[in-house]
């Protein structure tokens, strides 16, 4: 397993995989990220990140059944691993600690 440090977009993709549970495939991940992150998400970039997360051992994947609507092609579904969950919890813990250090009077919502 490679290093488990998460970049911002890796974290967003990993959170999306976790939230989609059994329906996390690349197009669904792109759609979900586009909707919630309010940014354009390219399929090729998501594929690259999913490959990197799989190399790090944070997600695993398996092929689904072939469907007629996809011309007999199979979707690759992604699932978060125990290491992926631990990595997300650690990232959240770090962010929460840093947020708590910000004096409330100096940070105003824009």
């Amino acid at each position: 397993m490679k290093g488990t440090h998460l970049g911002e977009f890796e974290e967003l993709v990993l959170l999306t995989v976790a939230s989609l549970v059994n329906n996390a495939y690349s197009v669904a991940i792109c759609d979900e990220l586009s909707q919630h992150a309010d940014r354009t998400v390219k399929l090729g970039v998501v594929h690259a990140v999913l490959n990197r997360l799989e190399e790090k051992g944070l997600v695993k994947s398996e092929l689904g059944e072939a469907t007629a609507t996809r011309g007999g092609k199979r979707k690759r579904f992604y699932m978060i691993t125990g290491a992926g969950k631990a990595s997300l919890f650690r990232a959240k813990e770090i962010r929460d600690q840093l947020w708590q250090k910000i004096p409330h009077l100096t940070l105003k919502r824009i």
Side-chain angles (χ1 to χ4, degrees):
M1 174 170 62
K2 282 174 103 175
T4 55
H5 173 75
L6 288 177
E8 182 217 2
F9 195 67
E10 287 178 323
E11 184 178 348
L12 290 175
V13 170
L14 192 55
L15 283 165
T16 305
V17 169
S19 72
L20 290 172
V21 190
N22 295 325
N23 200 32
Y25 61 97
S26 57
V27 173
I29 293 166
C30 279
D31 291 346
E32 195 77 6
L33 280 171
S34 293
Q35 179 183 357
H36 292 286
D38 195 29
R39 63 199 256 185
T40 303
V41 179
K42 296 187 182 209
L43 190 57
V45 174
V46 169
H47 277 286
V49 170
L50 288 167
N51 288 335
R52 201 163 48 246
L53 291 172
E54 196 159 22
E55 287 174 7
K56 291 180 177 184
L58 304 178
V59 298
K60 61 181 180 177
S61 68
E62 59 185 45
L63 288 172
E65 296 298 317
T67 61
T69 57
R70 291 178 44 84
K73 290 184 178 180
R74 300 163 67 178
K75 289 181 186 173
R76 179 165 296 279
F77 290 93
Y78 293 86
M79 292 126 310
I80 191 167
T81 63
K85 290 175 189 177
S87 188
L88 282 178
F89 279 117
R90 181 67 184 136
K92 183 181 182 320
E93 189 176 89
I94 291 167
R95 288 177 188 266
D96 288 347
Q97 288 172 359
L98 289 169
W99 273 102
Q100 289 174 7
K101 291 181 69 139
I102 299 172
H104 289 78
L105 297 177
T106 62
L107 185 66
K108 294 180 182 179
R109 193 172 194 98
I110 299 172

